[in-house]
Amino acid sequence: MNVFQLLIPKNDTMYLDDTTSISAAMDKLRTSGYTAVPVIREDGTYAGTVSEGDFLWAFLDGKDENGDGQAMAVKTIMQSNRNPAVKTDVDLTQLFSEALNQNFVPVVDDRNMFIGIVTRKQVIQFLMGHIRTLLHSPS
């Protein structure tokens, strides 16, 4: 078993570009129903994660616009150290450990290109399947 068997590919994942304006990103997050999403740089590399809380703090701190009235980009409010990405050759034990602490685990290739996510739900479903197999197998 490897990470690819649990991976939701980038094409099927909701993510934001780091240059997306805060207001446009907030609208996308709101309509998606997610509380946090990956943020990708223009070159396709993983930049970090932005959450509802980041938008709230930006609004409260008055960071929704630059001083000149221009909309600020998501990269100015996102947390680059939240939801660290794992590489495609990650040990499943480490992947599962990361999923304990975050709703999704971003996955990148050797060039740090974002290729998708593994959700905590997928990890739990995988483990439940193995538990069922163990419980129903003859001893």
Side-chain angles (χ1 to χ4, degrees), residues 55-69:
F55 290 106
L56 174 63
W57 288 115
F59 177 74
L60 291 174
D61 293 343
K63 291 184 179 177
D64 50 337
E65 289 185 348
N66 288 328
D68 60 2

Side-chain angles (χ1 to χ4, degrees), residues 84-87 89-100 105:
V86 298
K87 300 252 188 219
D89 62 353
V90 66
D91 178 71
L92 287 185
T93 305
Q94 181 186 352
L95 176 67
F96 294 168
S97 179
E98 292 291 336
L100 285 173
V105 180

Side-chain angles (χ1 to χ4, degrees), residues 4 10 19 22 24 28 40 56 64 68 79 87 105 108-109 117 119-120 123 125 127:
F4 291 105
K10 178 181 177 182
T19 57
I22 292 173
K28 285 184 176 183
I40 312 304
L56 174 63
D64 50 337
D68 60 2
Q79 302 290 320
K87 300 252 188 219
V105 180
V108 297
D109 65 14
I117 64 171
T119 65
R120 183 184 296 155
V123 169
Q125 287 174 332
L127 293 172

Side-chain angles (χ1 to χ4, degrees), residues 35-46:
T35 58
V37 294
V39 178
I40 312 304
R41 294 183 190 93
E42 190 174 333
D43 65 359
T45 58
Y46 175 69

Side-chain angles (χ1 to χ4, degrees), residues 1-15:
M1 168 106 195
N2 61 40
V3 70
F4 291 105
Q5 292 172 287
L6 297 171
L7 184 76
I8 298 173
K10 178 181 177 182
N11 290 345
D12 298 331
T13 303
M14 199 285 204
Y15 62 91

Side-chain angles (χ1 to χ4, degrees), residues 76-89:
T76 62
I77 66 164
M78 65 161 218
Q79 302 290 320
S80 58
N81 57 351
R82 184 186 303 133
N83 288 24
V86 298
K87 300 252 188 219
T88 55
D89 62 353

